[in-house]
């Protein structure tokens, strides 16, 4: 038991020092008086799980904007109902009531936009436990009662599982790149009874988080309802955060060129191998190397005197038995350096 505990501590420390995303109340908690600006987009497959995953969502189609706001629930009509809540999220006019603190986020209920329908959890749903990172997980159960116009309408009872199932590189529209993005998978499976009719519902939500931004930067949701007659209906939702795009991402195509050389990498992102082409105007001392995102040297493609002209090299992380993800190509010509970010899918 002590060995397992020590191993967990070492893993957490390693993630922290390597810049991996770790969710904490101070950085990612739900706090009143915050806005979450999002863009609705078409749903897409959430992609792979695991460490060093690459999620390429640059082709997401944008539909419209929306804003979620976090407020103090004491200023709402739900204050008398959800007495344990200390923050309220408003999205599309609906209200979600949470208690958010150093230990995590717990949902106590829901109120419709017209304030006539509520779900009051007698056993609340635990949305997050801190600290949380890749490999973290927890499960539990929740239950509650539906009310409409102050009359009991039915009940809800179910299970949930939350898993930090992926860590890697996230690509979003505009060639924006997020390294060390954490993906959190949330599965809720519950029975819902309304007016004596029972429905089985499963909701699977994927959220991507990064350091330096409180809210998810991408959310994908699939909701499947099974009706009493056995028929199924599936709906999807998707949104990403343009504020995080502006402030937190790095553009894939940034390049700084010295006057005596050019550097091109293509195709980028790539599978299997990438072409690295540079052109120098005169014989020069050249070092062409590839590094990982933590600055560790991966491969030296050339180091020495190189004649003038156009030169072509190739690189493959797969051939070196390395994982997919972001790498940095650095070309140093007589002391002047060019760097390019490349992504192996």
């Amino acid at each position: 038991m002590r060995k397992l505990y020590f191993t967990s501590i070492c893993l957490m420390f390693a993630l922290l020092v390597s810049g991996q995303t770790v969710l904490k109340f101070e950085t990612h908690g739900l706090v009143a008086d915050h806005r979450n600006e999002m863009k609705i987009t078409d749903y897409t497959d959430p992609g792979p799980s695991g460490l060093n995953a690459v999620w390429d969502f640059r082709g997401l189609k944008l539909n419209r904007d929306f804003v979620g706001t976090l407020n103090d629930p004491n200023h709402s009509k739900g204050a008398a109902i959800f007495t344990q809540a200390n923050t309220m999220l408003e999205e599309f006019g609906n209200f979600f009531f949470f208690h958010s603190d150093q230990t995590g986020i717990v949902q106590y209920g829901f109120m419709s936009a017209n304030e006539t329908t509520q779900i009051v959890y007698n056993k609340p749903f635990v949305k997050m436990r801190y600290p949380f990172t890749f490999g973290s997980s927890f499960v539990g159960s929740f239950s509650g009662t539906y009310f409409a116009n102050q009359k009991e309408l039915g009940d809800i009872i179910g299970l949930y599982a939350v898993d930090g199932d992926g860590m890697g590189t996230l690509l979003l529209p505009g060639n924006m790149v997020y390294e060390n993005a954490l993906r959190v998978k949330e599965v809720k499976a519950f029975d819902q009874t309304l007016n004596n009719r029972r429905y089985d519902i499963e909701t699977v939500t994927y959220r991507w988080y990064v350091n330096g931004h409180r809210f998810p930067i991408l959310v994908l949701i699939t909701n499947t309802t099974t009706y009493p007659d056995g028929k199924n209906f599936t709906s999807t939702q998707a949104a990403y955060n343009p504020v995080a795009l502006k402030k937190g991402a790095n553009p894939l195509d940034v390049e700084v060129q010295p006057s005596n050389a050019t550097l091109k990498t293509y195709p980028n992102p790539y599978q299997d191998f990438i072409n690295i082409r540079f052109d120098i105007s005169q014989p020069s001392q050249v070092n062409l190397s590839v590094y990982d995102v933590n600055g560790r040297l991966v491969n030296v493609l050339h180091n020495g005197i190189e004649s003038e002209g156009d030169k072509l090299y190739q690189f493959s992380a797969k051939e070196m038995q390395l994982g997919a993800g972001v790498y940095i190509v650095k070309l140093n010509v007589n002391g002047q350096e060019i760097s390019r970010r490349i992504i192996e899918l």
Side-chain angles (χ1 to χ4, degrees):
M1 184 68 179
R2 283 188 176 181
K3 184 177 181 180
L4 178 61
Y5 180 68
F6 179 77
T7 301
S8 299
I9 292 176
C10 290
L11 175 61
M12 182 64 70
F13 179 76
L15 289 170
L16 285 169
V17 298
S18 63
Q20 304 293 339
T21 299
V22 179
L23 306 187
K24 300 175 290 184
F25 172 75
E26 293 80 5
T27 55
H28 296 88
L30 298 183
V31 181
D33 299 322
H34 281 75
R35 287 166 53 89
N36 182 25
E37 299 181 23
M38 300 287 282
K39 287 185 177 290
I40 302 296
T41 183
D42 288 354
Y43 186 84
T44 189
D45 186 280
S49 60
L51 190 60
N52 296 322
V54 178
W55 302 289
D56 187 354
F57 299 131
R58 291 171 299 157
L60 287 176
K61 178 184 177 182
L62 309 184
N63 295 323
R64 59 190 176 92
D65 298 343
F66 87 93
V67 177
T69 59
L70 287 165
N71 298 301
D72 186 340
N74 291 322
H75 305 312
S76 73
K77 291 186 177 180
I81 302 172
F82 308 105
T83 57
Q84 293 175 288
N86 62 4
T87 188
M88 176 185 70
L89 174 64
E90 180 181 354
E91 288 185 339
F92 304 107
N94 296 312
F95 305 93
F96 304 84
F97 293 84
F98 301 95
H99 184 88
S100 179
D101 62 20
Q102 301 285 338
T103 63
I105 305 172
V106 178
Q107 184 178 355
Y108 280 92
F110 162 87
M111 179 180 289
S112 64
N114 60 14
E115 301 178 345
T116 61
T117 302
Q118 300 98 32
I119 303 174
V120 181
Y121 292 121
N122 59 285
K123 187 173 184 180
F125 164 60
V126 179
K127 188 175 184 67
M128 180 52 60
R129 290 179 178 168
Y130 300 129
F132 194 93
T133 188
F134 175 70
S136 299
S137 64
F138 60 89
V139 298
S141 60
F142 65 100
S143 59
T145 304
Y146 281 91
F147 293 92
N149 297 315
Q150 300 182 341
K151 294 183 179 180
E152 187 173 328
L153 193 64
D155 56 33
I156 180 174
I157 183 169
L159 303 172
Y160 58 83
V162 180
D163 178 27
D165 82 327
M167 181 80 78
T169 302
L170 175 64
L171 288 77
L172 289 177
N175 271 346
M176 296 294 104
V177 180
Y178 291 91
E179 298 163 8
N180 298 321
L182 168 66
R183 189 174 79 175
V184 178
K185 180 181 180 181
E186 173 192 291
V187 180
K188 294 171 66 178
F190 54 96
D191 296 334
Q192 174 180 288
T193 303
L194 293 174
N195 296 321
N196 297 317
R197 290 172 61 86
R198 176 183 169 186
Y199 306 85
D200 295 327
I201 301 174
E202 181 182 73
T203 302
V204 180
T205 304
Y206 292 91
R207 298 180 179 92
W208 282 260
Y209 294 87
V210 294
N211 288 321
H213 192 76
R214 185 169 297 274
F215 301 104
I217 56 173
L218 176 66
V219 181
L220 300 175
I221 304 172
T222 302
N223 190 81
T224 303
T225 301
T226 302
Y227 295 96
D229 61 5
K231 293 182 178 180
N232 295 325
F233 175 76
T234 298
S235 62
T236 58
Q237 293 176 286
Y240 73 76
N241 194 303
V243 176
L245 286 179
K246 295 174 184 176
K247 295 182 178 180
N250 296 308
L252 182 61
D253 296 331
V254 166
E255 179 178 358
V256 178
Q257 302 248 138
S259 58
N260 63 338
T262 60
L263 174 64
K264 296 180 180 180
T265 54
Y266 61 93
N268 193 19
Y270 67 97
Q271 293 179 323
D272 297 329
F273 68 88
I274 187 169
N275 295 301
I276 302 172
R277 170 166 269 154
F278 67 88
D279 187 29
I280 53 178
S281 58
Q282 60 187 29
S284 303
Q285 177 68 37
V286 172
N287 181 286
L288 180 65
S289 298
V290 180
Y291 297 79
D292 67 16
V293 293
N294 295 313
R296 291 186 293 261
L297 179 63
V298 170
N299 194 10
V300 177
L301 300 176
H302 178 83
N303 186 34
I305 299 295
E306 184 67 274
S307 60
E308 64 182 272
D310 186 49
K311 314 298 177 183
L312 177 64
Y313 291 83
Q314 292 183 331
F315 172 76
S316 170
K318 184 185 300 182
E319 286 187 356
M320 300 184 65
Q321 298 182 336
L322 299 172
V326 175
Y327 294 90
I328 310 297
V329 177
K330 292 186 178 182
L331 173 67
N332 189 298
V333 180
N334 294 331
Q336 290 187 299
E337 187 175 277
I338 312 171
S339 63
R340 291 297 305 269
R341 298 154 58 84
I342 62 174
I343 297 178
E344 182 159 328
L345 302 175

